[in-house]
Amino acid sequence: MTLSLKNLTRLALVTAFLLLIPLVAMQFTKEVNWTLSDFVFAGGLVFGTGLAYQLIASQANGPAYRFGIGLALAAGFLLIWVNGAVGLIGSENNPANLLYAGVLGVAAVGALLARFRPLGMARAMVAAALAQVAVPLLALLIWRPWSTTADEAWNTAQVLGVTGMFVVLWVGAALLFRRAGATGVRPA
């Protein structure tokens, strides 16, 4: 698994460009207020996700596998980003949001156990989708983070809607890996 200097440079430039967006926005509005740690976190997340894609997808010879890797990494990226920015259950300070680390753990451990083989990756992504569904259910049982007021009921609907979106991403990745496995695509 090697990466050319050209690809690393391109990835660093894309990361820098994306970080310029909030930097410029901070000059025009008080709504965007990033600290140095926000920029470091976002830069590491963007660069790390891109690097992971480059390293893993470069080993595959089929588009279904590459799209599957991209979709799985996008799901993980979005899960970290949204959960860190505003939280998925209540605010970002709600301890129930820490359960989402388990979803990422299931996906990562599953991928490692599958040794990135397509059919094993498909199973890992289905497991991640199931873990994604389990988080709000566990949170509801353990913390009772929602009450019966109208505002809180809307929050419940939002949590379930966002959970559904992430399930679609994980299952979509699983279907792409399954297709890659059916066509005999294997990472080198």
Side-chain angles (χ1 to χ4, degrees):
M1 288 190 183
T2 61
L3 203 58
S4 71
L5 182 60
K6 179 180 171 182
N7 285 345
L8 280 174
T9 303
R10 188 178 311 156
L11 183 57
L13 288 173
V14 167
T15 301
F17 174 76
L18 290 174
L19 290 177
L20 280 175
I21 295 169
L23 184 64
V24 169
M26 286 174 56
Q27 310 310 310
F28 297 102
T29 179
K30 300 264 188 234
E31 298 294 319
V32 179
N33 187 20
W34 283 30
T35 63
L36 178 61
S37 62
D38 292 329
F39 281 99
V40 170
F41 176 78
L45 186 59
V46 169
F47 189 83
T49 302
L51 185 63
Y53 177 80
Q54 289 289 327
L55 289 173
I56 298 168
S58 68
Q59 302 301 310
N61 58 3
Y65 190 88
R66 283 192 294 273
F67 284 132
I69 286 293
L71 196 55
L73 287 171
F77 175 89
L78 288 172
L79 187 58
I80 293 169
W81 188 274
V82 172
N83 205 21
V86 295
L88 293 170
I89 299 174
S91 74
E92 66 274 12
N93 298 323
N94 189 331
N97 286 311
L98 294 174
L99 293 173
Y100 286 108
V103 176
L104 299 171
V106 166
V109 169
L112 290 172
L113 289 174
R115 291 188 280 180
F116 297 99
R117 287 190 213 119
L119 295 178
M121 290 293 286
R123 288 189 286 276
M125 297 304 106
V126 168
L130 293 173
Q132 186 81 41
V133 169
V135 167
L137 297 176
L138 283 171
L140 185 59
L141 291 171
I142 296 170
W143 285 286
R144 299 276 309 152
W146 307 295
S147 69
T148 57
T149 66
D151 290 338
E152 297 290 336
W154 171 243
N155 187 19
T156 302
Q158 286 177 325
V159 170
L160 295 177
V162 171
T163 298
M165 180 203 70
F166 278 106
V167 167
V168 167
L169 292 174
W170 294 120
V171 170
L175 292 172
L176 286 165
F177 286 125
R178 184 172 174 222
R179 180 174 178 106
T183 59
V185 172
R186 293 196 180 276

